[in-house]
Structures are given as structure tokens and as C-alpha cells.
Amino acid sequence: MPLVFGLVILGAWWIAFHAGAFPRGTVPSPEAVARASRGELTSFRLIDDIIASLYRVAFGFVFAVIVAVPTGLVIGRYLLVREMLMPWVNFFRSLSPIAWIPFAILWFGIGDPPAIFIIFLATYFQIALATAAASAAVPRIYYRVAEDLGMGRIKTLFSVTLPAIQPQLITSLRVAIGVAWMVVVAAEMIAVHSGLGFLIIDGRNALRMDLVVCGMITVGAIGIGLDAAFAQLARIPSVRWGFDR
């Protein structure tokens, strides 16, 4: 059904273009986008841009997960820490990551570091907040059992709290990777000279709307792939219990 609906959209686009429904030069034809995509693929520019964008997303996202999950566990587990940090987590989460681009360029220059920094900010606070909310909802009986077994605080966090919140954590990671993929496109339009975001802005500057649409389609297709890949994490035996209904 998704394929059929995609063909309907493509057909409507083709009919609208050849019927003159769009102002001249504003929307390319499907044939022009296909030619531009073929040219970008044969020149390997599109492949290079995809690799560059995925590299930045992977680096920033993994670093955010490594830092945010322990932060969220501590915030959710200890009331004093939660009361002290939660307002600030919400404050920074509410700031648009794009607003940090001028600082990122000043601090890191032009290249991969500012884009990775923006991706980190876009995902860190979101993952930390989701982890904190999930860990705060863990039944207290789990911790009583851990105390009876003589577990220390750190071992309790990673042996009791973390396994208990894995289904919610995987859902938050699935959402966060989508945010990271959107943010990298915006960051690449300003802070770097490669990647799919740069391809789109470069096409716009050259008045090549076929390249712009080519980049947009590629971004959307990879976004679907990333979401599908993270959805498979729900099939892991140790977390499937949280998704079976």
C-alpha cells in the first residue's frame, strides 16, 4: 500500500507539472529530478553526501546516548537531583538547536564538529528527559528487592533501573534519531560544505530545484530506513515484553 500511494503521488506530480499547475521554475518535473539523481549517483557526490551526513548523525547521536542515559537514570532515581536539574533540562530542551549554530561555528569553526555538536544538543536533553521520566516511574518494590540483595546505588541503576525502562528508552531513541536526522540537514546548510543539507542549499543557490528535490527525497528515504532500523530494537528478547500486547 505505501508503494501504491507513492505511485499515486508521483502520478499527481507528473500530471500537475505538465498541466502547468506550478509557476515556471518553482517545481521541477519528475523526469528532471530523476536525471539529477542519476547524475549525482554516477558522480558519487550523492553517496559522499549521504556518508557525511550519516557519520555526523552517528557520532553526535551515540555521544548523546552515552551521556544522556546515565544522566536520566540519576535524575529519575533521586528526588533531590531531579528537583535541582529538571527545570534546566526542560529549559535547554526548549531551545531550538538551530539557535546554537552561531556559537557552534565560533567555537568549532566550519566542518564536522559544529554539526556534531548541534546533533548532540538536539538529542541529549530529549533522551535525558525521557530516561528520567521512565526511571522515576519504576515501581519501588524493585528497589526494595535490590536493597535486600545488598546492591549498591550504581549497580541498582544499571542492573535494575536500566533493564526496567528499556522499552521506553528504545521508543525515545527511535524518536531522537529522527530528530537528529532532521537537525543535521539544517546544520549542514550553514556550518559545513558537504552532506545532504549542503546539497539542498547548494542546489537552491544554483537555482537547481531538481537537486533540491533530489536531496529532499534522499533525506526522507534515509529517515524511513533509520526509523525502521530502530523499530527492530523492539524485537530484542530482553525488551520485547514492553511491546507485546
Side-chain angles (χ1 to χ4, degrees):
M1 292 302 295
L3 179 60
V4 172
F5 187 68
L7 292 175
V8 170
I9 295 176
L10 181 62
W13 175 16
W14 186 87
I15 293 172
F17 178 85
H18 289 284
F22 305 116
R24 185 177 179 84
T26 58
V27 177
S29 67
E31 299 95 321
V33 174
R35 288 193 296 269
S37 300
R38 183 170 59 250
E40 292 296 298
L41 284 171
T42 54
S43 67
F44 291 99
R45 179 189 175 187
L46 185 60
I47 303 299
D48 291 340
D49 287 335
I50 291 173
I51 293 173
S53 294
L54 287 174
Y55 165 76
R56 292 164 188 142
V57 167
F59 202 101
F61 180 78
V62 170
F63 186 41
V65 171
I66 292 173
V67 180
V69 171
T71 303
L73 290 174
V74 173
I75 292 175
R77 180 68 180 91
Y78 301 106
L79 180 60
L80 178 62
V81 178
R82 183 160 65 249
E83 291 179 345
M84 180 175 59
L85 295 183
M86 278 298 289
W88 292 106
V89 172
N90 278 308
F91 173 82
F92 285 105
R93 183 180 67 90
S94 301
L95 294 177
S96 171
I98 309 304
W100 289 93
I101 287 180
F103 292 102
I105 294 176
L106 286 174
W107 294 339
F108 303 106
I110 300 296
D112 290 338
I116 292 172
F117 174 71
I118 296 301
I119 294 166
F120 172 83
L121 288 178
T123 53
Y124 169 77
F125 295 104
Q126 183 175 3
I127 296 172
L129 186 62
T131 305
S135 59
V138 174
R140 293 185 177 275
I141 187 64
Y142 291 11
Y143 299 120
R144 294 197 185 104
V145 172
E147 290 176 0
D148 291 342
L149 294 175
M151 289 187 179
R153 291 184 176 183
I154 295 178
K155 187 174 182 180
T156 299
L157 284 178
F158 289 96
S159 298
V160 177
T161 308
L162 184 59
I165 68 168
Q166 280 183 356
Q168 298 94 319
L169 179 59
I170 286 177
T171 300
S172 68
L173 293 180
R174 184 177 176 183
V175 174
I177 192 64
V179 173
W181 186 242
M182 289 189 294
V183 168
V184 73
V185 174
E188 288 173 344
M189 290 181 176
I190 302 172
V192 297
H193 294 131
S194 62
L196 293 172
F198 179 75
L199 172 64
I200 293 173
I201 200 68
D202 192 43
R204 187 209 67 177
N205 293 337
L207 300 179
R208 290 283 309 277
M209 301 308 293
D210 52 345
L211 287 179
V212 172
V213 176
C214 169
M216 293 171 64
I217 292 174
T218 304
V219 168
I222 295 177
I224 292 174
L226 289 174
D227 182 73
F230 273 75
Q232 295 302 309
L233 294 177
R235 298 179 179 272
I236 297 175
S238 62
V239 299
R240 183 179 291 179
W241 61 269
F243 297 92
D244 290 339
R245 294 290 185 269

